[in-house]
Amino acid sequence: MGIIKLETKDKKRKVTNNRMTNKNLLSGNEAIARGAYEAGVKVGVGYPGTPSTEILENFTKYEDVVTEWSVNEKVAMEVGLGSALAGKRTLVTMKHVGLNVAADPLFTASYIGANAGMVVVVADDPDLHSSQNEQDSRHYARAAKVPMLEPSDSQEAKEFVRYACELSEGFDTPIFLRSVTRISHSKTVVAFEPKLNYEHDKGFEKENIKKHVMIPAFARQRHFVVEDRMKALEEFSNRIEINRIEKGKGEIAFVTAGLCYNYVKEVFPEADIFKIGMVYPLPMRNLLEFCKGYEKVYVVEELDPFIEDQLKARGANNIVGKEILPVTGEYSPELIYTAITGNKFKGMEVGIKPFARPPMLCPGCPHAQTFNAMNKLGLTVSGDIGCYTLGTLPPYSAMHACVDMGASIPFAQGIELAQGSEFKHDVVAVIGDSTFAHSGITGLINAAYNKRRILVIVLDNSTTAMTGMQPNPFNGSTITGEETVVIDYQKLAEAIGIKKDNFRTVTAYKEEIISETIQELLAKKELCLMVVTGPCLIYKRKKEKNNG
Ligand code: SF4
């Protein structure tokens, strides 16, 4: 990428990049963190979730920044909005399913704007490497009317953060930076640049209530501002270099973005390519003009036909996309080549197939005894997101539903509601400590308030194990390792009205005691909370190693 010229209504700015001062091999996540640092981002907030976790973990290593693991993505979005409105460039990170949690503030943040740059990084997970669904976050950009950039490698991931900050400020809007697992976790060469000593000229304008307080009368007016902004952004999208045409031999033409751009380049190096860096709003005028020049244009995009549908809706009738390319899973150079030519791509055979390892709890995992106990008792287990989801599979076979983070407790309540007086009291909700803090507590409050009669079991392993051992409000440290408050389960239970005698804490290593306690609490036929404590083995080893 050469020079990006950012022209907004009231000012012209230039972002000069690619001065190859040095070369570093970085993952997309590390590059986003570096990009935020170079752009003068001061605040980083998020919730861990594969494949986005390492962004904030890396960003926190830079000097002169403040970071936090928020209790969930909604809170991160709200903290991030406050920080951007108070005049600090801000990074908010999450994975795609986390964006569902953050959707509520996102849609209103779009109306309020940003002041200093507010970059929301969302990482999608095509092929579900570590997720409960395969959703395409680009739809959120469109639905919330928030622009979205999508890098193709680590260098772009770094550069796009700074560019996103500029755009966010120039158009007074939060902005998305979308990644996918292969961008987040693959390493490519990145040139570093010096940190920008950035200071926004405005802090929080408390008198500007028409922009910051979204009562209907003010929000109605802001909606017009948002619509005007989207028109201006679409026009702008036609004039920026991150949306560019790469001329080849003119024999075959593609429209593509993000990771897929690399695949197309690899198998069709001489193709004409319209490479999109801003996936929303699309540079529609230029795209339609480009498409006119060919009999057929292949739109290559993982997951949904997001670009394809918009092109077709605007009259492009020579588009070929999802009728030959799948809407599920990850793409590869070979898949694209085969779909388009009907031939197998030669040169891609490496002859080594990755070893398939079925996901399972680590040997000696503290959750094992609880799952063994629940299995032997023949319970119906409403589960949640985390390592303990693996209790579904043999040899435990002790989890029967898992929807989304925090859903275990309300789901169990739903079973009770459906069964009414027939409720067997053999239903337990199982959730981890981090997930309980994320969105389990509200479910427990709902159960107490509505007099539900379920047993909730928190498997507290002293960390957020599945995403790589992040701390949480039940573990006593912050993202930087600083000591902080630890939420007391018993006091929490009492505060929301769970009877003292309906609360128990047991060790994770004694199956017999776990089994007896479960039976005792289920026999009460009332709302009960049981906390099973035992540190994650990997976390324990890591901690011991760090302590020498
Ligand atoms: S990482 Fe920790 S909590 Fe997760 S399965 Fe392994 S031992 Fe259990």
Side-chain angles (χ1 to χ4, degrees):
M1 201 165 69
I3 292 174
I4 300 168
K5 286 183 189 146
L6 175 58
E7 295 171 68
T8 63
K9 272 186 203 155
D10 56 341
K11 52 192 147 186
K12 285 188 179 182
R13 290 184 198 162
K14 262 187 188 180
V15 180
T16 312
N17 38 48
N18 259 10
R19 281 184 285 118
M20 297 294 279
T21 47
N22 46 48
K23 290 179 181 177
N24 304 273
L25 200 58
L26 297 190
S27 70
N29 283 351
E30 290 166 333
I32 290 167
R34 175 72 199 184
Y37 168 73
E38 287 183 7
V41 170
K42 288 276 166 48
V43 177
V45 292
Y47 185 81
T50 309
S52 69
T53 311
E54 301 82 9
I55 301 168
L56 216 52
E57 286 180 334
N58 279 283
F59 185 59
T60 204
K61 294 175 188 161
Y62 290 105
E63 80 268 9
D64 199 23
V65 300
V66 287
T67 50
E68 72 167 39
W69 285 129
S70 307
V71 293
N72 64 34
E73 299 81 359
K74 175 181 184 292
V75 172
M77 187 74 81
E78 290 157 346
V79 171
L81 182 62
S83 157
L85 288 173
K88 296 288 182 237
R89 283 189 168 176
T90 301
L91 190 69
V92 185
T93 71
M94 62 196 66
K95 68 182 292 184
H96 62 297
V97 286
L99 187 51
N100 300 333
V101 182
D104 193 9
L106 168 72
F107 278 65
T108 309
S110 169
Y111 279 34
I112 289 174
N115 195 17
M118 178 178 175
V119 182
V120 180
V121 184
V122 58
D124 285 3
D125 188 19
D127 217 26
L128 300 108
H129 294 277
S130 185
S131 307
Q132 64 269 39
N133 70 42
E134 218 177 14
Q135 77 193 38
D136 190 327
S137 293
R138 294 176 298 174
H139 297 294
Y140 271 108
R142 197 171 182 203
K145 299 171 194 279
V146 168
M148 178 179 266
L149 308 184
E150 186 170 357
S152 292
D153 56 24
S154 298
Q155 176 69 30
E156 280 195 350
K158 191 206 76 156
E159 290 177 359
F160 280 17
V161 178
R162 181 157 164 185
Y163 192 39
C165 285
E166 292 265 327
L167 273 173
S168 172
E169 286 157 14
F171 286 89
D172 190 18
T173 176
I175 183 165
F176 278 121
L177 184 71
R178 180 194 186 226
S179 181
V180 292
T181 306
R182 297 281 163 196
I183 295 287
S184 280
H185 289 166
S186 303
K187 296 202 174 200
T188 61
V189 174
V190 177
F192 284 1
E193 286 186 273
K195 182 189 171 203
L196 188 72
N197 281 321
Y198 177 85
E199 285 299 331
H200 194 72
D201 46 9
K202 277 193 235 152
F204 184 63
E205 301 171 291
K206 68 177 188 185
E207 63 288 352
N208 201 352
I209 55 169
K210 288 190 174 171
K211 184 168 180 283
H212 298 155
V213 183
M214 285 301 101
I215 55 172
F218 297 161
R220 216 171 279 129
Q221 294 310 311
R222 289 299 299 175
H223 191 181
F224 291 111
V225 175
V226 170
E227 294 304 331
D228 287 347
R229 184 179 76 206
M230 290 320 296
K231 276 190 205 131
L233 271 160
E234 184 179 320
E235 181 44 39
F236 179 78
S237 170
N238 286 303
R239 293 188 279 121
I240 53 179
E241 271 194 42
I242 63 169
N243 295 329
R244 62 170 186 261
I245 294 168
E246 294 179 2
K247 282 300 278 179
K249 286 190 169 169
E251 286 160 7
I252 184 165
F254 291 91
V255 171
T256 187
L259 181 70
C260 291
Y261 163 78
N262 302 300
Y263 296 157
V264 170
K265 281 295 264 188
E266 188 166 340
V267 289
F268 296 103
E270 294 179 337
D272 290 358
I273 300 174
F274 197 124
K275 184 200 185 291
I276 300 171
M278 182 189 267
V279 288
Y280 192 74
L282 289 168
M284 198 49 83
R285 180 163 39 78
N286 288 353
L287 274 170
L288 292 173
E289 197 53 41
F290 174 80
C291 291
K292 265 192 221 157
Y294 305 91
E295 196 184 318
K296 231 187 241 177
V297 176
Y298 294 97
V299 177
V300 180
E301 54 187 330
E302 278 177 339
L303 301 179
D304 295 340
F306 181 78
I307 300 168
E308 177 184 340
D309 282 354
Q310 290 182 72
L311 278 171
K312 285 179 174 168
R314 296 281 278 265
N317 55 12
N318 55 346
I319 298 301
V320 181
K322 295 300 176 188
E323 59 266 59
I324 61 165
L325 289 158
V327 287
T328 56
E330 287 186 305
Y331 285 7
S332 66
E334 191 169 15
L335 180 146
I336 293 164
Y337 188 83
T338 306
I340 289 173
T341 65
N343 302 317
K344 210 166 157 52
F345 182 61
K346 294 197 179 82
M348 289 301 296
E349 292 288 340
V350 284
I352 303 167
K353 290 256 180 288
F355 181 65
R357 190 179 74 92
M360 60 198 297
L361 295 174
C362 307
C365 172
H367 300 327
Q369 310 287 349
T370 309
F371 284 119
N372 283 334
M374 292 191 297
N375 179 319
K376 286 180 197 160
L377 291 170
L379 302 177
T380 302
V381 179
S382 169
D384 224 297
I385 308 291
C387 282
Y388 40 92
T389 312
L390 302 170
T392 310
L393 303 173
Y396 311 103
S397 307
M399 192 181 284
H400 309 101
C402 178
V403 185
D404 64 85
M405 280 191 91
S408 57
I409 304 173
F411 192 93
Q413 293 168 52
I415 295 178
E416 188 196 342
L417 272 175
Q419 292 181 347
S421 57
E422 306 295 308
F423 187 54
K424 290 198 196 80
H425 297 282
D426 65 349
V427 177
V428 297
V430 173
I431 189 164
D433 45 346
S434 185
T435 313
F436 186 55
H438 176 278
S439 46
I441 289 175
T442 43
L444 192 65
I445 292 172
N446 189 68
Y449 172 64
N450 288 300
K451 302 182 180 178
R452 301 270 79 90
R453 300 162 295 163
I454 56 166
L455 167 61
V456 175
I457 301 179
V458 179
L459 300 178
D460 187 329
N461 60 7
S462 304
T463 188
T464 314
M466 198 176 214
T467 47
M469 316 299 156
Q470 291 77 27
N472 69 59
F474 287 98
N475 313 147
S477 72
T478 66
I479 187 170
T480 53
E482 199 186 323
E483 262 187 49
T484 185
V485 292
V486 183
I487 297 178
D488 184 318
Y489 288 104
Q490 185 155 19
K491 284 186 183 153
L492 179 75
E494 281 173 27
I496 65 174
I498 295 175
K499 289 181 189 163
K500 207 169 183 180
D501 199 39
N502 289 0
F503 175 81
R504 295 278 192 286
T505 306
V506 296
T507 169
Y509 303 104
K510 299 251 164 66
E511 189 188 318
E512 221 177 281
I513 294 176
I514 294 169
S515 180
E516 279 167 13
T517 312
I518 290 175
Q519 291 177 80
E520 186 200 338
L521 292 177
L522 282 173
K524 288 175 181 282
K525 303 185 178 177
E526 289 179 331
L527 178 62
C528 296
L529 179 64
M530 172 175 165
V531 181
V532 184
T533 58
C536 158
L537 278 191
I538 313 292
Y539 173 66
K540 205 171 147 198
R541 271 185 219 140
K542 210 169 147 184
K543 222 172 147 192
E544 282 165 2
K545 204 172 149 198
N546 290 346
N547 293 340

